[in-house]
Amino acid sequence: MSDTVSPPSLTLSELPKAPEGPWRSSVRQLRRNKGAIVGLVVLVAIAAISIASPLYVSLVTHLNPFNTNLNGSFVLNGQTIQVMQPNTQGLGLGVNPIGPTWDFQHYFLGADNLGRDVFARLLYGGRVSLLIGFTSAILCSLLATIMGMVAGYYGGFIDWIMSRFFDVIWAFPIYLLAISLSVILLTSGLNLGFIHIQAGSLLLPILIIAGVYVPYVGRPIRGLVFSLREREFIQASIGSGASDWHILRREILPNVMPSVIVFFPLMVAFNILTESALSFLSIGVQPPSASWGTVLNDGLDLLYTRPWVALAPGILIVITCGALNVLGDGFRDAFDPKAKLRGSV
Amino acid sequence: MKLLTSTLLRGAVAVGLMSSLALVNVASSSAAGSNGVMAYQPAHAGGTIKLLASTGGGTLDPQVNYTLQYWQLYQASYDGLVSFQKVSGVGSFTVVPDLATALPVVTNGGKTYTFTLRKGIKFSNGQTVTVNDVYATFVRLFKVLSPNSGSWYNGIIGGDACVAKPATCTLTEGVVVNAATNQVTFNLTTPDAEFLDQLAVPFGSILPASTPTHDMGNVPIPTTGAYYFASYNPNSMLVMKRNPYFKVWSPAAQPQGYPTSIEMVFGGTPSSEVTSVENGQGDWVFDAIPADRLQELSQKYAAQVQVHTLTANWYAVMNTNLAPFNNLKVRQAMNYAVDKKELVNIFGGSNLATPTCTILPPNFPGHVDFCPYNSTASNTYTGTNLAKAKALVAASGTKGMAVAVVCQTDTVNKQVGEYLQGVLTSLGYKATLKALSPSIEFTYIQNTNNKVQISLTQWYQDYPAASDFINVLLGCQNFHKGSTNSINIAGLCVPSLTTKMSAAEKEQLVNPVKANAMWGALDKEIMTNYAPWVPLFNPKQIDFISKRIKNYQFSLEFYMYVDQLQVH
Amino acid sequence: MLRFVTKRLISAVLVLFSISVLVFLIFFATPGVNPAARIAGRSASPATLKAVEATFGLNRPIPIRYGLMMYHLFIKQDLSSYVNIGDKVIPQITQAAPVTLSLVFGAAVLWMVFGVWAGVIAAKNRGRFIDPFIMFVGIAAVSIPAYWLGEVVQLITQTSLHSSVFHWVPSTGFTPLSQNPLQWAVHLLFPWLTLAVLYAGIYARVLRSEMVNAMNEDYIRTARAKGLSERRILYRHALRCSLIPIVSLFGLDIGALIGGSALLIEVVFGLPGVGMLTYNSLTNLDLPVIMGTVMYGAFFVVLASAVVDILYAVIDPRVRVVS
């Protein structure tokens, strides 16, 4: 699933009252799933490399990938090479950044239009892309779970309000909403009473991405809670005078969690794709921060001369999202085999 | 200055002197006679020219549209009483009589201009052009809220009242017409050295008196020139055809064109436009050439590329009323720290841009070479002086402050913005970048409510006059707090400078040479003592035309003459 | 039933109304997007600016401006752009819609064919090599950012290989079907394939899991017990039941895509469809066009989900009660 599609809808199966130790058995099942393990390993590897990016820069390249280097040069195999190479043939128009040297010490994947090391930027970009993917997935799941549970449990007016909210966001063509919000918030920043978020802040894409997907998780959770509420064990708790807080936390939440967990990896993948799409339109992550999407965006201006700048971040996005999807399939098989995920993210 | 269109760079009329670089192919066609006026070659007439642009240029109304994209087309279609001469080279700066028989007689101490209208000229709808059309044109200018009605044409007597109440506008004292003698007399409130230039741009195009007094949008208005607009849809195509009523009256003002029709097709991406022209599916690319296509153009398609120097400026404006840039030391430090040679690399190399230290571009009236913030004592730019910059910042005590750079989202602007943000970081500031849509950035940075500290912008002049840079961009009268129209973005408001600017404006009427020297001195004084800008570089114009096109001619005022292109 | 349909339609209209208010507020509550300065031109005097605001009604209270915009959009249908003065919004959308329709329906044919085919093959060969292979390809397909795939396709067809293998690929753009059917198809071929890759991946995965689930259902066991051939069971029973969720998915996707969700593909391939129109209006902050295209897009999303809901209610009467 991707950037051009309406987001995944999720049909959750209603779980029977969990038997003893469902978590342990699920985890055991997950550990037996080879595909999921491979996905997890790939993911952890990418995350580890990204997190270690400052080490790469300080130990190997010694070149800050966030500083422009338009007049710089370096020595490779005894030759001094300009990072930005003016075109000397013909009319001599244009300046080309250096292409891939395939040498980890110098511009492995070449430079971008500002003479910065593309490979190092990709590593740093991975941190931002993964950060946005995970934090907005956590935020989105949290919001959606709370809203879905409250709406499904209390019903009535609260449910009506929440459901209409879900309906409106749902019906808004998803990319239009994300793009509209980005365009506007990048101009003005976000002012919510005492909270002020600067226009260039990473929090903006995180909030926007988390916000637009809330209904896609919240709606099915609401439906699940709605039907759980009619079940005997919940009715029994209500009858025994347990507080709403207690029922929500001890009875309903454990039954909702597997669904949230199953959806989580797919949500992360979806968020990474959305972030890259917004950055591709240059309304996502703002400089000086870099993400895979911003590197890809930089690469589009070099497509004819230095295609690797656009190819490499795309490949990383595909691998990461593929790993998340495989992991998501594993989670589904382990936690909630009957959940009907719409394809995947 | 013209509104920048969605693409960078173009969209603004620029004046350029031919670069002396050998690579520049000044279309030295045999068509250019010894006096510069182009002799018509009937054998080459005919065919259709297909121009490619990514988006339309907005309204087609010549009294409202303010984009180079259409000003370039208006040259072949609309006429004012006077116009810029249609020649290649320096002569294209000269104002010549067009619908008027001769340049006006100026009396009353420079406040009265009298023209005689040519007889027998017809609009493309067959009606004859009369003095009543001229009167109606200038009233309409105010009624349609022409962009500069309140900043240029309000000098006509009654103009200010028209600006205040456009609906009831009359100019009975300001524009006096006499049908018997075919004369038109303009009465101004004060002498204005630039009045003729202002009549020569498309806002002054004479339109039929019957034209509705609202922005006509995409409905074409009849023309007087060699072509008329046959159809226009801003999302797909604009078509110009030969005006059947057109007869040449002055080749210098409105020459006969070559193509039977001129089409401008909208919708491609700049890169796909380049591909189309390479393959001969289009004849010219309006948009800025993408950086990654320059190499193949300069190698494989060198014969189809034309490069011209523009008198335009890319510059970073610092808000002289906001910390940290309210401190002169910080503004000077920025001037020392920005490496203009690196910026030239971003723009496409030294053959596409030249570093600059001055407000007035080179080859522009009043320009004097000097460079107060430099690595050496040279008058031309040699490099940065980072040590000095850091010392100035330390002395200012502003180190560590948060600074946001505002720029546009398109590729080159954003890259320059990122560069500036990097410079600020290296000077010890907490710098961030705020990239805004090109369609709102220019108004956003003008509004003091947005508290913009430093921003990146460009200025391409309207006509060759020093005041169009210095007075317009740094004059106190153009600083309006809280307004989106406050073109003095630096907010520089110094009484002694204001006095000198008005003295130079007055001198312009009497002694232009002396006046230009005064503007040059002002340029130097402002940069040395106030440093409100970091002037970055002067860009050049690239035109990429198809293989079949001949007779490329370039106007310094309005760029390539589309109607002079030959396909046969 | 009638009551259900009425209720569903009323809620659809409510949702559309809320969206229009939301869009209006998002764009008018923001400082710096006042279009008057842009309409007036670069060095307009403050007086000219005021006059422009008055002409376009930009100085009126927000609710009145909202009302006027809706009146011009839906009743007089003469709402026009702030950027291309006099360019009416509705004709712009009706001109762009055929491009989007061409893109979406062409791609839909491809993805349905490939998606269903791959899903069935995988389900049929469960446990053998081909199943995980197809599922792996499916995962790859759904993990590729479609706009990036589009750029890669452009890179391959427009640059290095353009002079040899792909010399027949035209530069980006669109040719109407009525003008030249061959050129229409050639221009759209790669956009179709790019868009279809993703959906084929989704549909193959959904269909496979539906069929695998179905094969464990009671009615299949009954069929087996009756001695029907495995082939017959697979196609006549499992596939038929599994296609129901696919069809509803298809309805929702088509609705969203016609509504402009193919925005990135249109931008990448330079197709002047609704998505491109929306994107351009957003980058220009051309509010009337944004309003028009968002309402158009939301209309199809809401319509598609209402139709799917109502069809479900027709098939399964229980839905009417639950909703």
Side-chain angles (χ1 to χ4, degrees):
Chain A
M1 169 96 198
S2 93
D3 38 295
T4 52
V5 198
S6 61
S9 54
L10 171 75
T11 317
L12 300 174
S13 65
E14 188 185 317
L15 291 184
K17 172 79 171 145
E20 278 316 298
W23 289 97
R24 210 178 300 159
S25 81
S26 294
V27 170
R28 187 159 12 92
Q29 205 184 337
L30 194 60
R31 275 164 55 186
R32 283 204 304 266
N33 186 329
K34 277 185 217 138
I37 297 296
V38 171
L40 193 63
V41 168
V42 169
L43 204 61
V44 169
I46 289 177
I49 296 171
S50 298
I51 289 165
S53 49
L55 286 178
Y56 172 73
V57 168
S58 61
L59 298 178
V60 184
T61 63
H62 311 292
L63 196 66
N64 184 338
F66 294 95
N67 284 355
T68 57
N69 191 16
L70 288 153
N71 271 340
S73 59
F74 60 93
V75 179
L76 183 69
N77 303 329
Q79 281 184 309
T80 304
I81 297 174
Q82 287 286 128
V83 176
M84 302 300 286
Q85 301 165 330
N87 192 358
T88 49
Q89 287 172 296
L91 297 177
L93 308 176
V95 177
N96 292 325
I98 182 162
T101 61
W102 308 117
D103 171 352
F104 277 114
Q105 291 188 333
H106 310 279
Y107 292 94
F108 181 72
L109 285 173
D112 66 10
N113 267 325
L114 289 170
R116 301 173 298 197
D117 182 350
V118 171
F119 186 66
R121 285 178 69 76
L122 271 183
L123 297 185
Y124 274 96
R127 306 211 298 183
V128 171
S129 287
L130 291 173
L131 178 78
I132 292 182
F134 276 94
T135 42
S136 39
I138 291 169
L139 197 64
C140 178
S141 307
L142 201 68
L143 280 175
T145 309
I146 293 171
M147 290 177 79
M149 276 171 54
V150 167
Y153 182 75
Y154 289 103
F157 183 66
I158 295 176
D159 180 39
W160 190 86
I161 290 283
M162 300 258 184
S163 298
R164 294 294 83 73
F165 171 78
F166 288 159
D167 281 351
V168 169
I169 307 276
W170 179 283
F172 211 119
I174 196 80
Y175 270 79
L176 299 196
L177 182 58
I179 293 171
S180 305
L181 287 173
S182 304
V183 166
I184 288 303
L185 293 180
L186 282 178
T187 307
S188 62
L190 182 62
N191 281 304
L192 289 173
F194 54 95
I195 308 169
H196 179 76
I197 300 174
Q198 281 281 319
S201 167
L202 270 189
L203 275 174
L204 281 185
I206 291 176
L207 288 178
I208 291 168
I209 294 169
V212 295
Y213 291 125
V214 163
Y216 298 91
V217 188
R219 258 189 166 185
I221 288 177
R222 173 201 165 263
L224 179 60
V225 174
F226 204 77
S227 57
L228 276 174
R229 205 184 182 287
E230 304 306 315
R231 300 277 296 275
E232 290 107 20
F233 70 97
I234 303 283
Q235 288 299 328
S237 289
I238 296 175
S240 70
S243 68
D244 288 346
W245 169 242
H246 177 89
I247 297 170
L248 279 172
R249 197 166 59 96
R250 302 304 280 279
E251 307 284 354
I252 292 186
L253 189 61
N255 283 293
V256 168
M257 274 321 277
S259 312
V260 178
I261 289 171
V262 165
F263 204 44
F264 189 77
L266 311 183
M267 209 62 226
V268 176
F270 208 2
N271 291 343
I272 289 176
L273 286 171
T274 308
E275 180 278 317
S276 80
L278 289 178
S279 296
F280 167 79
L281 299 173
S282 60
I283 46 178
V285 174
Q286 295 300 303
S289 301
S291 73
W292 288 335
T294 63
V295 178
L296 211 166
N297 180 278
D298 293 339
L300 292 184
D301 301 317
L302 291 164
L303 204 60
Y304 278 76
T305 44
R306 300 286 178 246
W308 274 105
V309 185
L311 287 176
I315 292 170
L316 279 174
I317 292 170
V318 175
I319 293 175
T320 309
C321 293
L324 283 162
N325 272 309
V326 174
L327 196 62
D329 284 0
F331 272 33
R332 179 194 56 196
D333 295 343
F335 288 97
D336 188 5
K338 282 192 170 170
K340 289 174 186 166
L341 298 173
R342 179 197 187 284
S344 68
V345 176
Chain B
M1 161 170 183
K2 324 301 166 286
L3 180 76
L4 285 172
T5 58
S6 59
T7 45
L8 154 84
L9 274 194
R10 311 294 288 265
V13 167
V15 170
L17 292 185
M18 294 300 170
S19 161
S20 55
L21 284 166
L23 63 94
V24 173
N25 278 313
V26 177
S28 54
S29 160
S30 56
S34 55
N35 58 353
V37 175
M38 301 172 266
Y40 194 67
Q41 304 158 302
H44 294 293
T48 298
I49 301 275
K50 193 172 171 189
L51 314 172
L52 307 175
S54 56
T55 55
T59 172
L60 197 57
D61 194 323
Q63 293 195 311
V64 183
N65 190 290
Y66 207 175
T67 66
L68 170 77
Q69 193 173 355
Y70 290 167
W71 279 33
Q72 209 168 358
L73 304 181
Y74 293 153
Q75 293 315 296
S77 46
Y78 289 108
D79 296 277
L81 292 168
V82 290
S83 72
F84 288 98
Q85 193 173 210
K86 306 297 188 296
V87 296
S88 239
V90 194
S92 54
F93 271 156
T94 314
V95 173
V96 294
D98 192 346
L99 293 179
T101 54
L103 287 178
V105 180
V106 185
T107 52
N108 191 16
K111 292 200 280 189
T112 300
Y113 287 67
T114 306
F115 296 89
T116 307
L117 190 67
R118 281 182 211 267
K119 282 193 170 159
I121 294 176
K122 286 184 169 172
F123 286 109
S124 55
N125 62 1
Q127 284 174 13
T128 305
V129 180
T130 68
V131 289
N132 290 331
D133 295 318
V134 178
Y135 175 79
T137 293
F138 285 90
V139 171
R140 184 176 186 274
L141 192 68
F142 291 99
K143 290 196 169 175
V144 297
L145 310 172
S146 182
N148 288 354
S149 55
S151 36
W152 289 0
Y153 303 101
N154 55 339
I156 299 171
I157 292 178
D160 279 324
C162 283
V163 171
K165 279 198 175 137
T168 56
C169 175
T170 54
L171 294 169
T172 43
E173 284 173 56
V175 183
V176 182
V177 296
N178 184 334
T181 59
N182 227 23
Q183 278 186 328
V184 181
T185 305
F186 289 89
N187 292 308
L188 308 185
T189 50
T190 46
D192 182 353
E194 290 152 33
F195 188 61
L196 274 190
D197 292 316
Q198 292 166 355
L199 290 185
V201 301
F203 295 139
S205 305
I206 304 305
L207 306 175
S210 55
T211 313
T213 53
H214 58 80
D215 182 348
M216 291 293 282
N218 41 17
V219 179
I221 302 172
T223 66
T224 44
Y227 294 85
Y228 72 99
F229 293 97
S231 70
Y232 176 48
N233 178 336
N235 297 305
S236 55
M237 191 155 62
L238 178 151
V239 180
M240 293 169 79
K241 292 218 158 97
R242 273 184 196 284
N243 174 0
Y245 296 94
F246 174 72
K247 284 191 203 81
V248 179
W249 59 82
S250 160
Q254 184 63 260
Q256 181 60 275
Y258 291 98
T260 308
S261 60
I262 300 169
E263 296 173 354
M264 189 176 257
V265 180
F266 310 118
T269 58
S271 205
S272 72
E273 289 166 34
V274 171
T275 310
S276 296
V277 173
E278 285 175 354
N279 300 339
Q281 295 155 336
D283 291 313
W284 176 69
V285 177
F286 167 75
D287 302 278
I289 309 288
D292 60 341
R293 307 302 296 272
L294 290 172
Q295 183 177 350
E296 62 184 288
L297 292 201
S298 61
Q299 290 174 11
K300 279 169 77 181
Y301 299 93
Q304 292 164 237
V305 176
Q306 303 276 348
V307 182
H308 295 281
T309 306
L310 306 176
T311 41
N313 230 341
W314 280 58
Y315 60 99
V317 204
M318 294 169 283
N319 189 334
T320 56
N321 302 314
L322 259 187
F325 299 109
N326 55 0
N327 188 324
L328 174 65
K329 289 196 178 78
V330 181
R331 303 199 295 268
Q332 290 178 326
M334 274 305 277
N335 269 288
Y336 276 119
V338 170
D339 190 335
K340 297 167 188 182
K341 288 181 179 167
E342 298 203 349
L343 292 172
V344 163
N345 264 350
I346 293 178
F347 197 75
S350 52
N351 288 335
L352 283 182
T354 326
T356 185
C357 302
T358 59
I359 298 167
L360 294 168
N363 300 324
F364 199 71
H367 170 87
V368 184
D369 269 341
F370 68 93
C371 199
Y373 311 102
N374 214 348
S375 58
T376 63
S378 168
N379 270 337
T380 52
Y381 185 72
T382 50
T384 58
N385 189 336
L386 269 178
K388 218 164 188 170
K390 284 184 173 156
L392 280 165
V393 170
S396 74
T398 57
K399 211 168 168 173
M401 283 186 73
V403 179
V405 181
V406 179
C407 69
Q408 298 181 8
T409 46
D410 61 82
T411 312
V412 179
N413 271 288
K414 199 163 140 196
Q415 285 168 359
V416 174
E418 281 189 68
Y419 174 82
L420 292 174
Q421 179 250 329
V423 170
L424 282 161
T425 308
S426 69
L427 288 178
Y429 293 101
K430 282 198 228 88
T432 50
L433 182 68
K434 186 166 177 176
L436 301 177
S437 161
S439 50
I440 62 166
E441 194 246 16
F442 192 69
T443 48
Y444 184 88
I445 60 178
Q446 293 181 57
N447 195 335
T448 51
N449 293 342
N450 295 327
K451 300 206 176 357
V452 175
Q453 294 160 298
I454 179 168
S455 53
L456 173 67
T457 189
Q458 300 84 34
W459 188 254
Y460 292 66
Q461 51 71 261
D462 295 293
Y463 44 79
S467 70
D468 196 38
F469 271 79
I470 293 181
N471 198 22
V472 169
L473 300 178
L474 293 158
C476 202
Q477 77 284 4
N478 287 329
F479 176 53
H480 308 285
K481 272 186 187 158
S483 164
T484 43
N485 276 61
S486 172
I487 198 104
N488 179 351
I489 302 164
L492 189 71
C493 220
V494 182
S496 69
L497 290 179
T498 311
T499 317
K500 285 178 189 166
M501 285 185 210
S502 32
E505 286 222 297
K506 285 210 180 81
E507 193 63 37
Q508 200 86 44
L509 294 158
V510 192
N511 185 346
V513 177
K514 194 177 163 203
N516 284 339
M518 290 166 81
W519 288 118
L522 265 169
D523 187 349
K524 201 164 181 174
E525 182 184 349
I526 293 172
M527 277 313 298
T528 313
N529 297 346
Y530 303 97
W533 294 4
V534 184
L536 304 176
F537 55 83
N538 308 116
K540 289 179 196 175
Q541 167 75 25
I542 318 171
D543 281 318
F544 180 44
I545 51 176
S546 69
K547 208 169 181 175
R548 63 174 189 153
I549 295 289
K550 293 188 187 65
N551 200 35
Y552 173 96
Q553 310 270 349
F554 190 80
S555 158
L556 305 181
E557 179 68 26
F558 299 115
Y559 300 1
M560 181 181 82
Y561 292 111
V562 291
D563 58 320
Q564 294 302 308
L565 301 175
Q566 299 171 349
V567 292
H568 288 293
Chain C
M1 186 65 206
L2 188 68
R3 219 177 125 232
F4 175 75
V5 172
T6 324
K7 253 176 91 179
R8 195 63 193 75
L9 291 181
I10 287 173
S11 101
V13 170
L14 255 176
V15 165
L16 286 175
F17 169 74
S18 315
I19 287 176
S20 70
V21 173
L22 190 67
V23 171
F24 194 84
L25 288 181
I26 287 178
F27 284 92
F28 271 100
T30 308
V33 295
N34 182 352
R38 280 186 291 144
I39 298 170
R42 288 215 143 182
S43 34
S45 66
T48 307
L49 195 64
K50 277 221 170 70
V52 167
E53 280 185 352
T55 317
F56 284 82
L58 296 169
N59 52 355
R60 322 251 321 239
I62 292 260
I64 292 183
R65 274 158 65 188
Y66 171 80
L68 280 175
M69 180 168 269
M70 290 297 117
Y71 172 72
H72 284 290
L73 180 60
F74 290 112
I75 300 178
K76 285 192 80 181
Q77 310 198 338
D78 65 348
L79 186 68
S80 78
S81 156
Y82 282 164
V83 174
N84 293 311
I85 306 297
D87 197 13
K88 295 197 176 82
V89 174
I90 291 178
Q92 286 192 57
I93 294 176
T94 51
Q95 279 164 20
V99 182
T100 303
L101 288 176
S102 303
L103 172 68
V104 171
F105 282 109
V109 170
L110 288 176
W111 91 59
M112 280 309 267
V113 169
F114 283 107
V116 170
W117 174 77
V120 171
I121 297 285
K124 200 167 117 186
N125 295 295
R126 198 151 40 105
R128 283 178 237 161
F129 168 74
I130 188 85
D131 173 28
F133 177 74
I134 287 181
M135 285 306 104
F136 181 78
V137 173
I139 282 191
V142 297
S143 303
I144 299 176
Y147 64 88
W148 178 76
L149 185 63
E151 291 288 354
V152 172
V153 166
Q154 297 268 69
L155 179 66
I156 294 168
T157 58
Q158 299 286 347
T159 64
S160 49
L161 295 178
H162 187 65
S163 47
S164 52
V165 190
F166 292 112
H167 65 274
W168 50 273
V169 181
S171 66
T172 54
F174 179 74
T175 307
L177 178 63
S178 53
Q179 195 178 314
N180 184 339
L182 182 69
Q183 279 302 310
W184 173 80
V186 170
H187 274 90
L188 282 168
L189 180 63
F190 285 103
W192 282 338
L193 288 171
T194 307
L195 188 55
V197 161
L198 160 75
Y199 284 92
I202 296 171
Y203 282 51
R205 282 164 56 82
V206 172
L207 185 63
R208 177 197 174 267
S209 80
E210 286 291 334
M211 284 182 72
V212 168
N213 283 344
M215 293 300 271
N216 297 329
E217 294 284 341
D218 291 343
Y219 67 91
I220 298 287
R221 262 178 251 147
T222 316
R224 280 215 182 93
K226 281 201 288 188
L228 293 180
S229 76
E230 209 39 40
R231 196 185 155 76
R232 197 180 158 83
I233 290 169
L234 190 75
Y235 289 107
R236 294 297 294 272
H237 296 275
L239 180 59
R240 259 170 88 175
C241 289
S242 306
L243 278 178
I244 293 172
I246 291 282
V247 168
S248 74
L249 204 60
F250 185 75
L252 295 174
D253 284 338
I254 288 280
L257 284 172
I258 293 175
S261 285
L263 181 143
L264 286 166
I265 295 283
E266 289 182 9
V267 170
V268 166
F269 285 100
L271 298 171
V274 180
M276 178 85 112
L277 184 65
T278 314
Y279 175 68
N280 286 339
S281 63
L282 280 164
T283 49
N284 285 330
L285 289 174
D286 190 357
L287 186 71
V289 186
I290 294 174
M291 183 60 90
T293 51
V294 168
M295 290 311 291
Y296 165 91
F299 172 77
F300 280 99
V301 175
V302 170
L303 179 76
S305 80
V307 167
V308 167
D309 280 0
I310 291 169
L311 285 182
Y312 255 100
V314 172
I315 299 168
D316 184 353
R318 280 176 304 176
V319 174
R320 281 174 241 167
V321 186
V322 174
S323 298

